[in-house]
Amino acid sequence: DQQVKQNSPSLSVQEGRISILNCDYTNSMFDYFLWYKKYPAEGPTFLISISSIKDKNEDGRFTVFLNKSAKHLSLHIVPSQPGDSAVYFCAAIGGSYIPTFGRGTSLIVHP
Amino acid sequence: EAQVTQNPRYLITVTGKKLTVTCSQNMNHEYMSWYRQDPGLGLRQIYYSMNVEVTDKGDVPEGYKVSRKEKRNFPLILESPSPNQTSLYFCASSEDQPSYNEQFFGPGTRLTVL
């Protein structure tokens, strides 16, 4: 049973517009959430994170929103750039030291 | 340059032939882990290590072994590889447990078991 779900396998956005990537989770014990970006033939790289005591965290063009009651988080990229084209993984961590990853969303930003 | 290195990057082997994938980090990180990524699935943790000589199972440890004799190295051992272990493997490290620390990932090892 998937505890972290990224229901959109892919997303296509025009350059300059907003990209919104979504992630849902089921385990209420998760208290820390991270987004990783992955380019082909490379390992994932950390992008941004949020603790469950916050509902928003911002870093430049990237903002993560957390809605604990809905068990939902989203990553906003504004404005989107072609270099943002990658696979984005949502990850959640709870009481154990084992991060649970979603299946990823492939973002394509068209020039 | 701070990095996590893995070797080999690509490996094709046959069922039952023992193999080792090496992982090394130069950031003096306490925590290291191994993941596998399969098509349509997210990264799943195989094993992790909180420090030297301390290792523990992740979500999918069956068929794998690890060791942590030195802080910088965390090899993944497949004693008797099987075709269902064909996958993309990533090693990762972080300063401490990943709860509040970003993990740094290696470039990946693509393993094919025939």
Side-chain angles (χ1 to χ4, degrees), chain B residues 68-79:
Chain B
R68 188 92 182 272
K69 292 183 169 53
E70 304 165 282
K71 197 172 187 179
R72 62 183 293 127
N73 296 324
F74 190 45
L76 179 68
I77 303 155
L78 285 72
E79 295 271 3

Side-chain angles (χ1 to χ4, degrees), chain A residues 40-62:
Chain A
E42 294 183 13
T45 55
F46 171 76
L47 194 57
I48 193 168
S49 62
I50 188 166
S51 165
S52 60
I53 62 173
K54 295 185 175 182
D55 56 15
K56 177 182 174 181
N57 189 25
E58 200 170 349
D59 184 2
R61 296 186 296 114
F62 302 91

Side-chain angles (χ1 to χ4, degrees), chain B residues 2-114:
Chain B
Q3 60 182 348
V4 178
T5 56
Q6 297 179 226
N7 282 293
R9 293 290 311 275
Y10 302 91
L11 179 60
I12 300 175
T13 189
V14 295
T15 299
K17 186 176 181 182
K18 181 180 178 180
L19 67 92
T20 299
V21 184
T22 65
C23 172
S24 183
Q25 50 94 4
N26 62 1
M27 296 168 279
N28 201 36
H29 284 169
E30 303 280 338
Y31 184 99
M32 296 185 74
S33 58
W34 276 101
Y35 294 85
R36 61 178 288 173
Q37 184 189 6
D38 300 292
L41 299 177
L43 286 85
R44 294 179 294 168
Q45 194 178 66
I46 302 170
Y47 267 94
Y48 67 93
S49 169
M50 295 293 292
N51 210 328
V52 175
E53 302 293 1
V54 180
T55 63
D56 210 343
K57 296 177 181 178
D59 285 332
V60 288
E62 293 77 22
Y64 304 95
K65 284 176 57 177
V66 293
S67 69
R68 188 92 182 272
K69 292 183 169 53
E70 304 165 282
K71 197 172 187 179
R72 62 183 293 127
N73 296 324
F74 190 45
L76 179 68
I77 303 155
L78 285 72
E79 295 271 3
S80 182
S82 61
N84 65 11
Q85 292 179 297
T86 293
S87 187
L88 179 58
Y89 291 86
F90 291 101
C91 179
S93 73
S94 56
E95 282 189 29
D96 203 335
Q97 64 191 57
S99 296
Y100 303 102
N101 296 275
E102 64 173 281
Q103 291 188 78
F104 293 82
F105 284 82
T109 295
R110 186 165 293 281
L111 172 66
T112 302
V113 183
L114 302 175

